[in-house]
Amino acid sequence: MSNKLLTPLNIGAFDLQHRLVLEWPLVADPLNAPADQLALPSDCLLSGGLIIHDPGALIWPERTSQLISDEDRIKSIWRTTMNNAKLARQSSVARLRGDIALQIPHRPNGILALTQHEIDKIIADYVDAAHRAKSSGFDGIELDSSFGSITDLFLMPSTNLRTDRYGGAIVQRLNFVLELVEALTQAFSRDRLGIRLSPFPRGFEGGRCKVYDDVLSSLRDQEIAYVHLELSEGFDTRVLKSAPPAKALRRAYPGIFVTSGQQSLQFAMDLVEGRWADAVCFFSPQLDAQFLSLLKHA
């Protein structure tokens, strides 16, 4: 059987030569990072693919202590990395982190206490981060809306106790993420924007999965490049193809699914062959020589 992982795929603006997505680790301080921490994989199999970076200090909001000269140096470092990626025909997106501790520090009540002005400021911070990513050479962005992120907190009724236009029924709890997606188009077109979600942090939780049915149904009209779903440990392709919550998610969003979480070659092949996912994301340290050798002979 041919390995569908190694067949071309169009993801929004990205024409990929294979369906293997690489997640590159967080670089908290690129000014002090070893040279190989920013180096991209050189294996020819990974050329023509998509890499998701977590560029850390480049995109964290409220970086008031960072000097302008440091910001320029960080951008210069990433521009060099992105230029190298383009030489390898790799597309690179920057993950915009959704860390609640960074975005609303000193707020024990979390999103409940946010004023409209503060919500507008958070969205503006994301847009500013997206512009910094673009000026640093990234081809697109991935909005981190995974479990525990500020977006996730707005979506879930257990953490969103607001009574204004951002709280209550799911149609209102969706307002934050939809406004955020719309605002990010100031920096990147929709076909260069992905979003990372965690519908299964503890397996098939009925209420959570139903929320994400609605989330994905709303995102299908946004015409973004892809949805990146984190999978819990213990899932296999038979579960994803047969379990009603998983089938409902796939029906809710007919666009491109990138999945991560179960990091094995066979699982990745089964997901793509079974058409539940279109591409599979691996954390970069797992792509060692032995793994790449398996892929070459798959």
Side-chain angles (χ1 to χ4, degrees):
M1 180 176 64
S2 63
N3 189 346
K4 194 174 179 181
L5 269 179
L6 304 183
T7 61
L9 176 67
N10 173 259
I11 298 181
F14 311 120
D15 290 318
L16 309 180
Q17 298 305 304
H18 56 80
R19 297 162 185 253
L20 181 67
V21 178
L22 185 66
E23 182 174 335
W24 206 245
L26 166 67
V27 181
D29 187 358
L31 296 178
N32 296 319
D36 61 356
Q37 193 172 348
L38 290 173
L40 292 166
S42 58
D43 192 285
C44 61
L45 185 66
L46 293 176
S47 65
L50 179 67
I51 299 183
I52 302 171
H53 292 267
D54 194 337
L58 174 68
I59 55 86
W60 282 345
E62 299 298 339
R63 300 161 305 111
T64 53
S65 61
Q66 193 176 91
L67 300 175
I68 293 177
S69 59
D70 284 344
E71 182 171 326
D72 289 342
R73 287 174 61 201
I74 290 173
K75 286 183 177 181
S76 177
I77 290 170
W78 281 110
R79 277 193 292 267
T80 299
T81 304
M82 294 301 101
N83 288 337
N84 292 337
K86 287 176 174 58
L87 291 175
R89 297 183 293 113
Q90 293 162 333
S91 299
S92 301
V93 300
R95 177 171 293 157
L96 303 189
R97 296 170 62 84
D99 193 329
I100 191 76
L102 289 171
Q103 290 164 321
I104 49 175
H106 315 303
R107 285 300 183 87
N109 292 325
I111 65 171
L112 179 61
L114 290 174
T115 65
Q116 182 64 55
H117 175 75
E118 289 169 323
I119 290 174
D120 293 341
K121 176 63 168 57
I122 290 170
I123 292 176
D125 283 341
Y126 271 108
V127 174
D128 184 46
H131 281 296
R132 286 197 298 277
K134 188 172 187 177
S135 66
S136 299
F138 285 93
D139 302 303
I141 49 176
E142 179 182 275
L143 173 61
D144 181 14
S145 301
S146 57
F147 182 69
S149 68
I150 188 169
T151 310
D152 185 72
L153 296 180
F154 267 99
L155 290 172
M156 299 307 299
S158 59
T159 52
N160 186 347
L161 304 179
R162 300 179 68 96
T163 57
D164 60 358
R165 64 185 302 271
Y166 294 102
I170 182 60
V171 67
Q172 292 172 219
R173 300 199 309 275
L174 276 162
N175 281 332
F176 178 77
V177 66
L178 296 180
E179 288 177 14
L180 186 50
V181 168
E182 182 65 33
L184 289 172
T185 61
Q186 298 174 41
F188 286 96
S189 58
R190 294 177 189 272
D191 59 356
R192 295 180 180 272
L193 168 62
I195 186 168
R196 183 190 189 199
L197 304 172
S198 300
F200 310 120
R202 301 184 186 91
F204 293 122
E205 297 178 87
R208 187 174 185 86
C209 287
K210 179 61 176 71
V211 166
Y212 276 94
D213 288 348
D214 294 323
V215 173
L216 289 171
S217 293
S218 295
L219 288 174
R220 68 189 299 173
D221 297 326
Q222 297 300 309
E223 299 181 341
I224 60 176
Y226 67 89
V227 169
H228 182 178
L229 294 183
E230 291 187 308
L231 302 180
S232 302
E233 294 295 329
F235 283 164
D236 60 30
T237 51
R238 289 173 299 175
V239 171
L240 289 171
K241 291 173 67 176
S242 62
K247 292 169 67 176
L249 288 177
R250 181 73 271 193
R251 286 196 303 270
Y253 190 77
I256 296 294
F257 268 176
V258 177
T259 62
S260 60
Q262 289 278 3
Q263 307 290 359
S264 75
L265 175 63
Q266 190 60 54
F267 183 73
M269 291 176 64
D270 290 345
L271 274 183
V272 174
E273 291 289 347
R275 299 185 178 181
W276 198 88
D278 302 283
V280 180
C281 180
F282 289 85
F283 192 58
S284 61
Q286 294 170 314
L287 292 177
D288 56 18
Q290 182 180 6
F291 187 89
L292 290 173
S293 177
L294 287 173
L295 280 178
K296 289 176 181 178
H297 295 91

